[in-house]
Amino acid sequence: MSIADVLDDEMLGRARALRHDLHRLPELSGYEGETAARIAAEMTALGARQVVTGLGGTGVAAVFGEGHAALLIRAELDALPIMETGQPAHRSQRSGVAHLCGHDGHMAILYAVAQALAVSPPASRVILLFQPAEEIGAGARAVLDDPRFAELGATMAVSLHNLPGIPRGAVALRAGPVNCASRGLKVRLSGRTAHASEPEKGVSPGVALAGLIPALGALSRTLPTEDAGFRLATVTHARLGVPAFGVAPGEAEIYVTLRTLLDDAMAALEAEARALVAEIAQGFDVEITVHEAFGHCVNHPDATAMLERAAQDMPRHEAALPMRASEDFGLFGSAMPSAMIFLGAGDECPALHAPDYDFPDSLIEVGAQLFLRAVADFGRP
């Protein structure tokens, strides 16, 4: 009997119940303490050979099986700072915080995998990693920088992300780039405030701000995402002064998110953005800081081939890749062969980060079976 056949309705029911519990009590990036504690307790109860907590902050790693080679399978702990408008029975009980990217479902998939591994030990080591702070691009780096991660001895890494807009249960997978690199630039312009009746006595950055909004957006190139020259600059926020009628503004902020297919193109785009700010904002004190920097995600041929074999009987939908969205899982590729596969959540499913999104429970079994087939393949002599 294949290890994928070990999953039964009782195991899947427990995985669904766990997802609903996690969905009710979401936690933001870097603050996933309760979620991590629940996961660690569940992994311990299943008899994992080793459970490492506090990895890269709040991360949890559970080890099953024995052997030198180790397959790492990653899920994410964090939720989003968005108010949930959907009305499932398990809707978020924390105002303004919700699992609207499906990380609760990804954790449930790994919990289903863990239950199967507890009943049918794998032929090699399997490390189930529950990673913190994916949404802000900080978690993978923090895990990799934790000395205890190297001690776990992972030799290949895979992950899964659900993807609305493609048929439910279909998969998107390819070797090479699958997620873009991105980073946010926060630009602060400082002049001098004045009374609104005497604006000439101040130095307002209003004209500079108005010029930066279209100029930064014009850095984009309307190319297909898979083109190496693709780049996108999206102004996501702008603020001028304070909301008052009696004060002429003396400072402004603008946020822009930069995207390129590959890391090596990001440095050039950021340099152009900085030069543009310097040119348009002459005469102002300018501060530029970098936030939420994501590296590209490139699937290694060997890890991709293993996932291809695991997904060989599943419907395919390749047009979804590469995605413009970023994913910090790509950093694991700097340490070992890695690959991410995308699992369709359905054409009717609201988009990721939409306020009415909810992870489809039916994907728990599909995702768990996929990973269990990969585990069996990885452990084959």
Side-chain angles (χ1 to χ4, degrees):
M1 181 174 65
S2 166
I3 191 172
D5 297 326
V6 171
L7 273 181
D8 59 26
D9 289 342
E10 186 175 352
M11 292 177 182
L12 293 169
R14 287 194 291 265
R16 286 191 298 271
L18 175 66
R19 184 187 87 79
H20 295 175
D21 287 349
L22 296 173
H23 193 97
R24 291 186 185 97
L25 298 172
E27 295 179 294
L28 293 176
S29 302
Y31 299 92
E32 310 97 337
E34 292 178 20
T35 304
R38 173 69 185 273
I39 292 296
E42 296 290 353
M43 294 298 109
T44 300
L46 288 173
R49 289 185 59 249
Q50 181 182 9
V51 178
V52 179
T53 60
L55 196 62
T58 59
V60 177
V63 181
F64 292 83
E66 299 181 6
H68 175 69
L71 176 64
L72 181 145
I73 309 176
R74 187 213 68 164
E76 315 93 323
L77 292 165
D78 52 341
L80 286 159
I82 302 174
M83 179 70 72
E84 183 174 20
T85 62
Q87 296 294 325
H90 50 270
R91 75 188 306 265
S92 174
Q93 297 176 4
R94 291 178 169 158
S95 180
V97 184
H99 273 295
L100 301 177
C101 200
H103 294 178
D104 54 338
H106 301 166
M107 287 186 278
I109 288 172
L110 260 62
Y111 176 57
V113 169
Q115 291 181 86
L117 297 180
V119 171
S120 179
S124 61
R125 282 194 305 129
V126 176
I127 304 165
L128 303 182
L129 172 65
F130 299 82
Q131 179 205 300
E134 187 282 326
E135 294 291 355
I136 61 172
R141 173 54 61 200
V143 167
L144 286 164
D145 287 345
D146 190 319
R148 295 174 299 162
F149 178 76
E151 294 170 4
L152 288 170
T155 53
M156 181 175 285
V158 294
S159 188
L160 169 156
H161 208 294
N162 78 97
L163 187 58
I166 67 174
R168 185 168 297 181
V171 294
L173 176 65
R174 58 176 280 181
V178 292
N179 291 92
C180 287
S182 73
R183 65 184 53 194
L185 299 186
K186 177 181 177 181
V187 180
R188 182 178 176 86
L189 309 180
S190 299
R192 182 180 177 85
T193 59
H195 196 286
S197 68
E198 300 177 311
E200 70 278 4
K201 293 184 178 180
V203 181
S204 170
V207 173
L209 180 65
L212 281 172
I213 293 174
L216 287 169
L219 293 173
S220 301
R221 290 179 183 161
T222 54
L223 295 169
T225 310
E226 61 267 23
D227 192 300
F230 163 81
R231 61 189 201 177
L232 181 66
T234 305
V235 174
T236 60
H237 173 74
R239 179 180 63 81
L240 176 65
V242 295
F245 291 104
V247 181
E251 51 88 25
E253 281 185 345
I254 184 169
Y255 290 22
V256 59
T257 301
L258 308 178
R259 295 185 190 278
T260 57
L261 180 64
L262 297 172
D263 289 345
D264 57 7
M266 179 58 72
L269 179 55
E270 182 180 342
E272 287 187 44
R274 287 176 178 270
L276 194 62
V277 171
E279 178 184 353
I280 294 176
Q282 292 183 51
F284 296 94
D285 290 332
V286 177
E287 180 187 14
I288 302 177
T289 53
V290 177
H291 303 265
E292 299 186 13
F294 289 80
H296 62 216
C297 187
V298 176
N299 281 354
H300 189 280
D302 293 345
T304 303
M306 184 185 68
L307 290 177
E308 288 277 8
R309 293 188 292 271
Q312 62 184 345
D313 296 327
M314 302 175 72
R316 302 297 291 263
H317 193 92
E318 305 305 337
L321 300 178
M323 294 178 64
R324 289 185 178 184
S326 300
E327 167 57 70
D328 78 349
F329 176 74
L331 285 175
F332 288 98
S334 65
M336 68 197 79
S338 67
M340 171 168 276
I341 189 169
F342 299 85
L343 181 59
D347 296 315
E348 76 292 348
C349 182
L352 300 175
H353 295 206
D356 55 344
Y357 168 88
D358 187 32
F359 181 89
D361 279 338
S362 62
L363 293 185
I364 296 174
E365 180 176 10
V366 179
Q369 296 270 13
L370 173 69
F371 280 146
L372 287 170
R373 289 193 294 271
V375 166
D377 185 275
F378 182 81
R380 193 169 291 128

